[in-house]
Amino acid sequence: MTTVHKTAQINADPRKVWGRIADVGKVHDILPSVVECRLDGDKRLCTFADGGQLTERIISVDAELMRLAYSITDSPFPLEYHAASMRVVPEANGCRLEWTTDLKPDALKESLAPLFDQLFEQLTARVGAQ
């Protein structure tokens, strides 16, 4: 198993950043590559601009820790395993956003690196917008 970890400083109120991440049914508002999202119980079904779809299971939305945990259960990628979390950490001048993803097979880390970079860049720009 391999881990991808991203972190960024965001000059915004941590509660507002958390509110945007915690609103799991509106992921398309913070990730422009997601054009549609709908919830079905603990499942989040996402459609991308290219027509690709994936299904995620929302594992935890913890307001006290400001932490979201989820897992991709169905996707166009050849995933054997996927689990991820996002956490908002309050700091003096805003907050730090941490995104950690564990996945298998290990070879996907390299091939998906540009996608992870793009998604994290989009995410940090959108969640910090006022």
Side-chain angles (χ1 to χ4, degrees):
M1 183 169 347
T2 190
T3 299
V4 177
H5 183 75
K6 302 277 185 191
T7 185
Q9 299 300 126
I10 300 175
N11 187 16
D13 182 331
R15 293 178 308 260
K16 288 183 180 180
V17 172
W18 168 245
R20 299 203 71 194
I21 290 170
D23 195 353
V24 295
K26 293 187 178 177
V27 70
H28 54 287
D29 288 347
I30 58 173
L31 287 176
S33 54
V34 177
V35 295
E36 183 182 1
C37 170
R38 70 180 172 86
L39 296 176
D40 182 11
D42 68 350
K43 296 202 179 343
R44 177 166 65 184
L45 303 123
C46 301
T47 302
F48 292 89
D50 66 2
Q53 296 183 317
L54 63 80
T55 303
E56 297 170 319
R57 179 173 173 245
I58 304 300
I59 297 166
S60 173
V61 181
D62 188 322
E64 186 176 329
L65 292 176
M66 289 195 280
R67 181 179 178 271
L68 166 68
Y70 63 97
S71 176
I72 294 176
T73 59
D74 185 38
S75 83
F77 307 109
L79 293 169
E80 294 173 24
Y81 176 84
H82 174 280
S85 67
M86 291 185 198
R87 183 168 172 235
V88 178
V89 180
E91 295 192 338
N93 294 321
C95 60
R96 182 176 70 247
L97 177 62
E98 298 175 349
W99 182 25
T100 304
T101 303
D102 295 319
L103 58 105
K104 282 177 109 173
D106 293 356
L108 282 179
K109 182 175 183 175
E110 186 176 327
S111 63
L112 293 179
L115 177 61
F116 280 118
D117 291 343
Q118 176 189 17
L119 291 173
F120 194 66
E121 184 178 309
Q122 291 174 354
L123 178 69
T124 56
R126 292 281 178 105
V127 297
Q130 300 299 322

